[in-house]
Amino acid sequence: MTTRTLRRWFVVHKWTSLVCTLFLLIVCVTGLPLLFSEQIWDTFVGDDDPPYEVLPPRTPNASLDVIVEKARALYPGQIITNVDPDDDEPAVLVSMAPSWQALKDDDKYPDRNSSHWIKFDARTAKVLEQSRPETELKPPGTWTGLIMGICRRLHVSLFTYLPGRLFLGLMGGVFVASLISGTVLYGRFMKRLPFGSVRRDRASRLTWLDLHNLLGAATLVWATVVGFTGLVNELQTPLFGLWRVTDVRQILRPYADLPVPSQDHLSSVQAAFDTAAKAAPGNEVTGLSFPGASFGSPVHYVLWTRGATPLRARLFTPVLVDARTGELTGAYPMPWYLRFLEISRPLHFGDYGGMPLRILWALLDIVVIGVLVSGLVLWAGKRKMATDARLRALGYDLDDADDAVVPVLTAEAVR
C-alpha cells in the first residue's frame, strides 16, 4: 500500500466515522431498551386484562363472523377496519373507526387518532378489553410508555418521520463505509503486532487506539450486518410506496373506480380467512383489512399471510378475496426487494432467537458504543494534527516517494 493510498483510506475512515458517530450513538443507546421492550412493558406496566376463561383443551375458536357482529353491536354506525388474530394468545383484535374519511383525516396529523379497538376472547367471543375512541391529541398512558415511545421514534426517525428515516439510512451507509475503511487500516497496522494486543505500558493514546481496534475487529461482522440491515429497514416507506404504485396499482386497476360497498352486505369474514389459508398453503393468516382501507381495494378483503416456520415468518403474501361474493381473486407474493427487506428485519432486531440472542445483541451493542466513544477520544486528542503526523503517531512509516507503507512502531508511536 502506497503512502497516497494510505492517506486516502485514513481520510475516508476519519470523516465517515465523524459524520455518523453522534447519530450512531443515539441509535445504539435507544436500541438497547427496544431490544427488551416486551419485557420492560410487562414488568413496569403489566397486563390488566381479565384472565382467560379456563376451557377444555382443544376448544375450537368462535366464528370470526360472530366476533364481527358483536363489535358492530357495540358501536353501531361505525365501520370495522381490521380483524387481527393474536399470535401468542387466544384473542382477536377488531379495529374500528367512525368512517374511512376520518382515518384519512388522521393521516394528516400523526398524533391524532379517531380509531379504537376491541379485544375478544377467540374461543368464547367475549370482550376482554377495549380502548377508548380518541379524537384529540392523546396523552401518554404511563412514564414507561412515554420513554419507550421516545426511544422508538428517536431510533427510527429522529422524530422527523420520512426525512429522518432516509437520513438515518444514509448514516447507516456511511457507517458501513467507515467499517470497511477501518478494516483496511487495521489490517495493515496489525501486521507487526499480535491480534488483540493492547499496549497498556505505552502512551494512553496507544491504549485507546488498541482498544478501538480490538473492539472494532471483534464486532466487525455484527456491526456490518446491523448497519446494512438498518439502512435497508429505513427504506421501507419508499420501497412499499414503489410496490403500491407498480404491482398493486396494476392488480387493482380493474376495481379502482368501484364504490366501497356497505359493510352490512359483505360476505363472511370467517370464510375469507379459510379461503386465504387455502390460497397460500404452508402460510398462516395474520390479519384482514376491510374494503376501503388505504392502499387497499374498494371491494376486496385484503388478507395477510406469512410463513409458518421461523425462517419464513417474515415473508408475507397478501391474498385478495372479493368481499361481495367471497370468491378468491388471487395471492400475490411480494417482489424480491420487499422480501429482502422482510428477511433483513430479524437480523437487525435479533428477534428470531429468543432471549439468548437478544442478550447477545445487547452486549454487542454496548461494545459498539465503546468503539464509538474510543474513536471520539482518539479524534479529540489529535484533532489539529495533519494526516501524515497522525499516521506516524499511529505507528506508520511514511515514504514520501510513495513506495510501500510498512507499519512499524516508531519512537513517536511508543511515547
Side-chain angles (χ1 to χ4, degrees):
M1 183 182 293
T2 63
T3 298
R4 181 180 293 110
T5 303
L6 182 65
R7 289 192 192 108
R8 289 172 178 170
W9 278 112
F10 182 80
V11 170
V12 169
H13 183 65
K14 180 179 73 173
W15 287 109
T16 52
S17 300
L18 288 175
V19 165
C20 67
T21 292
L22 174 61
F23 305 103
L24 284 176
L25 281 172
I26 294 174
V27 168
C28 288
V29 171
T30 56
L32 280 174
L34 293 179
L35 282 171
F36 306 101
S37 57
E38 295 180 5
Q39 290 74 24
I40 292 173
W41 190 264
D42 291 341
T43 300
F44 292 99
V45 179
D47 189 358
D48 295 330
D49 291 356
Y52 288 99
E53 186 175 342
V54 178
L55 298 175
R58 298 184 180 180
T59 298
N61 288 342
S63 170
L64 292 173
D65 295 326
V66 174
I67 292 175
V68 166
E69 288 305 318
K70 287 194 172 184
R72 286 177 178 153
L74 288 172
Y75 294 94
Q78 293 199 4
I79 61 168
I80 296 176
T81 60
N82 298 85
V83 177
D84 301 302
D86 194 284
D87 294 336
D88 303 315
E89 301 177 354
V92 176
L93 206 67
V94 176
S95 300
M96 304 187 71
S99 65
W100 291 116
Q101 185 59 47
L103 291 179
K104 292 179 181 179
D105 293 340
D106 291 344
D107 291 339
K108 302 176 183 178
Y109 308 98
D111 293 320
R112 187 182 177 90
N113 186 15
S114 60
S115 63
H116 60 105
W117 49 265
I118 309 169
K119 186 176 182 179
F120 290 89
D121 188 317
R123 304 159 304 170
T124 64
K126 292 182 179 179
V127 176
L128 298 174
E129 184 186 9
Q130 57 180 312
S131 66
R132 184 171 61 89
E134 298 285 353
T135 55
E136 302 298 332
L137 295 180
K138 298 189 296 181
T142 64
W143 282 107
T144 302
L146 175 62
I147 293 172
M148 294 303 293
I150 291 174
C151 287
R152 184 175 299 279
R153 294 179 68 176
L154 277 174
H155 188 84
V156 172
S157 66
L158 299 176
F159 284 94
T160 54
Y161 305 103
L162 180 58
R165 284 179 173 272
L166 297 179
F167 178 78
L168 286 180
L170 175 62
M171 290 300 100
V174 173
F175 177 52
V176 172
S178 74
L179 292 173
I180 295 172
S181 57
T183 302
V184 173
L185 292 172
Y186 182 61
R188 301 297 302 177
F189 179 69
M190 290 306 294
K191 283 183 177 294
R192 296 182 65 90
L193 285 175
F195 177 77
S197 296
V198 178
R199 291 164 287 176
R200 301 179 184 275
D201 56 339
R202 306 297 186 182
S204 61
R205 180 178 68 255
L206 289 180
T207 302
W208 277 104
L209 171 66
D210 291 343
L211 285 173
H212 180 77
N213 289 337
L214 175 60
L215 296 177
T219 58
L220 175 63
V221 174
W222 180 85
T224 303
V225 170
V226 171
F228 180 72
T229 54
L231 183 160
V232 174
N233 285 327
E234 295 292 8
L235 296 177
Q236 65 174 348
T237 299
L239 289 179
F240 271 98
L242 174 63
W243 177 54
R244 291 181 185 119
V245 300
T246 54
D247 296 358
V248 174
R249 179 175 293 178
Q250 186 65 29
I251 293 169
L252 298 181
R253 189 184 300 276
Y255 315 100
D257 297 327
L258 296 178
V260 178
S262 169
Q263 293 193 353
D264 295 332
H265 302 91
L266 298 182
S267 61
S268 165
V269 171
Q270 181 64 61
F273 267 77
D274 297 338
T275 299
K278 295 177 182 178
N283 284 15
E284 57 184 15
V285 184
T286 62
L288 173 148
S289 296
F290 271 69
S294 298
F295 308 111
S297 166
V299 295
H300 287 93
Y301 292 127
V302 179
L303 297 102
W304 290 93
T305 70
R306 69 178 183 186
T309 64
L311 291 177
R312 298 176 57 245
R314 291 282 184 171
L315 297 178
F316 291 88
T317 299
V319 176
L320 293 182
V321 174
D322 194 314
R324 301 164 299 180
T325 63
E327 296 180 356
L328 173 69
T329 300
Y332 307 94
M334 287 186 170
W336 67 268
Y337 52 87
L338 288 183
R339 297 174 77 84
F340 181 74
L341 168 65
E342 297 300 335
I343 291 174
S344 73
R345 290 185 189 277
L347 292 175
H348 185 77
F349 296 108
D351 58 358
Y352 63 93
M355 184 55 66
L357 193 63
R358 290 175 185 265
I359 293 174
L360 176 61
W361 250 237
L363 293 175
L364 291 169
D365 184 68
I366 293 171
V367 174
V368 170
I369 292 175
V371 174
L372 298 173
V373 172
S374 60
L376 286 176
V377 171
L378 289 170
W379 170 77
K382 292 292 181 181
R383 62 183 181 278
K384 294 183 180 180
M385 291 180 64
T387 298
D388 285 7
R390 274 179 174 267
L391 289 170
R392 289 190 176 95
L394 295 178
Y396 286 95
D397 186 18
L398 304 185
D399 189 336
D400 293 334
D402 274 344
D403 292 332
V405 175
V406 180
V408 298
L409 298 182
T410 63
E412 168 65 18
V414 298
R415 281 201 291 269

